Amino acid sequence: MPFKPVDTHLPAFNPFEKFGSEWALLTAGDSRGVNTMTVSWGCLGVLWNRDVATVYVRPQRYTKEFIDRTGRFTLSFYAPEHKAALGVLGRVSGRDEDKIARVGLTPIELGGDFAFEEAELVLACRVLYADEIDPKLFWDASCDERNYPEHDYHTAYVAEVERAYVRTQGAAQEGAL
Ligand SMILES: Cc1cc2nc3c(=O)[nH]c(=O)nc-3n(C[C@H](O)[C@H](O)[C@H](O)COP(=O)(O)O)c2cc1C
């Protein structure tokens, strides 16, 4: 297996860089199929005494159907050479074409969850809580105005980070995260 399990308390992980600048893939699936999409909005932290990841998914995303069906997802992080692939996966819907084949990433199953062999780091997550952003609750109306002209409010998924893996073949090592 090209990955090894590591402590979920990652020794070096800058969430602002990892999500905001480098982006991640949010992947979910089961025996019926797998889908993935690029995300740049996300959080890692602690809630309800658990290590959690929170992701934000608009209602029209095909990946949302897979998360809602399985209650699970992975977040996977990549070296810069894969950024173009993440760009495509964040522009094309799996509803319309086999975008995973198009970008040439290799799906892999990790303990029943799905990610891609090319990842440097994979977090396997189980959904604990989900709720749709409620426009009535914005304290700063500009967040609503700037991000939701179509009123397609994200669902926030708070998920327990159950396992973490780093790639052992081809470059990535723990210290390089
Ligand atoms: C850099 C980048 C970041 C993105 N972040 C998010 C996000 O956090 N939440 C979201 O719902 N969509 C986000 N998207 C859009 C989805 O990745 C995109 O709509 C994708 O095609 C959905 O694929 P799907 O329909 O196969 O699930 C992002 C796109 C890009 C390019």
Side-chain angles (χ1 to χ4, degrees), residues 23-24 26 35-42 55-64 86-95 99 154:
W23 312 339
L26 172 64
N35 201 61
T36 193
M37 60 179 260
T38 304
V39 291
S40 60
W41 292 0
V55 292
Y56 304 88
V57 183
R58 290 193 198 259
Q60 61 270 39
R61 309 299 186 229
Y62 190 39
T63 307
K64 186 173 189 302
L86 269 58
V88 173
L89 295 168
R91 199 171 60 241
V92 176
S93 177
R95 257 196 212 95
K99 61 179 177 177
H154 292 89

Side-chain angles (χ1 to χ4, degrees), residues 2 13 18 25-26 29 50 61 72 81 91-92 96 99 110 122 146 151 174:
F13 184 95
K18 287 286 175 194
L25 288 181
L26 172 64
R50 299 167 198 237
R61 309 299 186 229
R72 303 193 60 88
E81 71 209 62
R91 199 171 60 241
V92 176
D96 302 326
K99 61 179 177 177
L110 290 167
V122 179
R146 287 180 194 162
H151 308 294
E174 263 172 290

Side-chain angles (χ1 to χ4, degrees), residues 59-94:
Q60 61 270 39
R61 309 299 186 229
Y62 190 39
T63 307
K64 186 173 189 302
E65 295 180 19
F66 292 71
I67 299 172
D68 290 341
R69 194 163 78 215
T70 62
R72 303 193 60 88
F73 59 79
T74 65
L75 279 167
S76 51
F77 300 85
Y78 296 81
E81 71 209 62
H82 297 294
K83 194 139 190 199
L86 269 58
V88 173
L89 295 168
R91 199 171 60 241
V92 176
S93 177

